[in-house]
Amino acid sequence: EAHSGRPRATPEAIAALRASAAGGRVEAMTELGQRLLVGRDLDQAPEEGIALVRKASAQGGAEAACQLATLLGAGAWMPRDWEAALDHLKLAAERGSPRAQGQLILLSADRRLAHELKAGLKVADGWARLRASIDIGMWMTPPERRAICEQPRVRAVDAFVPAEVCEWLVDRSRGKFVPAMLFDGVSAHFHADRTNSDFAFDIVEADVLLALLRERISNLTKIPTPAMEPPQIFHYDVGEEI
């Protein structure tokens, strides 16, 4: 937890959060549920966490609906269901979640409507129309590879994702970088040969867009997502290296 870049919550703060969640406060249920999903400052209990997030969403929680969308898209502790994930993303966007709205804007095939909503224009059923325009198959189908070299075997893919998707992921990491570690095959530790910083997406930090991007990478490389490392963003300031 110290390496996560977040200050640890005290036992008293966790107890207060539990009491607030037990009292039915939607924001508290959502936060406690997310902490239980990843074991942040308390023992990990994903089933309890999912139940709290579901309850918060049923009571109108925008971020709870957005979190459920991520869980469904990632297939985390539940069967993967892209359509249900997008439905929850739409619900969260309609409830005012900026994170859900941003994902729908990036994923939508209706670029004109996406730009209007991004500009803050009021459009009747706008978020529902954006959700209906998303083509899951298109996002999962990567562009063709082109050969660069045979010995060693090198391939390149042009325009793998729009630049706006990269900007979204970078923005998700801002203010969250921590000193990077090296893994020696047994454990991760700090090492003088690595001076950069990194940010790792867990199931709370991740989103539907990232889940789709990982599937796109999987379909390009023929490597199943469970065999991939957790998604990370690395930052190298001037003079930093590995």
Side-chain angles (χ1 to χ4, degrees):
E1 184 68 19
H3 182 63
S4 71
R6 304 183 188 91
R8 289 188 62 90
T10 64
E12 293 77 13
I14 294 296
L17 181 63
R18 284 191 178 276
S20 184
R25 185 166 173 265
V26 169
E27 294 80 3
M29 286 190 286
T30 303
E31 181 183 344
L32 179 59
Q34 290 175 324
R35 285 178 175 273
L36 288 165
L37 286 174
V38 295
R40 186 178 302 155
D41 299 327
L42 71 179
D43 292 337
Q44 186 178 22
E47 292 80 8
E48 183 185 354
I50 290 170
L52 280 166
V53 171
R54 285 192 186 280
K55 185 176 181 180
S57 179
Q59 294 184 17
E63 294 310 315
C66 190
Q67 181 64 67
L68 280 177
T70 301
L71 293 169
L72 286 159
W77 302 292
M78 61 184 67
R80 172 173 283 161
D81 187 333
W82 291 114
E83 295 302 320
L86 294 179
D87 287 343
H88 279 80
L89 210 57
K90 174 189 76 72
L91 182 63
E94 291 172 341
R95 291 173 174 174
S97 166
R99 186 170 165 189
Q101 292 172 354
Q103 291 178 76
L104 289 177
I105 287 170
L106 288 171
L107 291 169
S108 173
D110 189 336
R111 300 317 302 158
R112 179 178 177 178
L113 178 58
H115 288 308
E116 290 175 349
L117 289 170
K118 185 176 182 180
L121 299 179
K122 301 295 183 182
V123 181
D125 298 322
W127 300 116
R129 288 164 55 191
L130 275 193
R131 183 264 178 266
S133 74
I134 296 172
D135 184 346
I136 292 290
M138 182 277 291
W139 278 96
M140 289 190 178
T141 306
E144 290 295 321
R145 294 175 291 184
R146 57 186 175 86
I148 300 296
C149 180
E150 293 302 329
Q151 294 293 332
R153 190 170 184 267
V154 179
R155 300 292 184 266
V157 179
D158 297 315
F160 183 70
V161 291
E164 293 81 4
V165 172
C166 300
E167 292 167 3
W168 170 267
L169 295 174
V170 170
D171 284 342
R172 294 280 299 126
S173 70
R174 293 191 190 281
K176 302 174 183 176
F177 288 104
V178 294
M181 294 182 173
L182 277 177
F183 184 69
D184 60 9
V186 178
S187 63
H189 54 89
F190 295 107
H191 196 283
D193 289 340
R194 186 169 199 177
T195 57
N196 70 300
S197 55
D198 64 16
F199 165 70
F201 290 90
D202 58 25
I203 196 61
V204 171
E205 297 286 359
D207 51 37
V208 176
L209 179 61
L210 181 57
L212 278 170
L213 180 58
R214 282 167 62 81
E215 287 301 310
R216 191 173 177 87
I217 293 170
S218 175
N219 290 335
L220 174 71
T221 61
K222 311 306 178 187
I223 298 173
T225 54
M228 296 180 182
E229 292 185 358
Q232 293 174 275
I233 294 181
F234 298 101
H235 178 262
Y236 291 85
D237 207 344
V238 175
E240 293 181 343
E241 62 184 3
I242 179 172

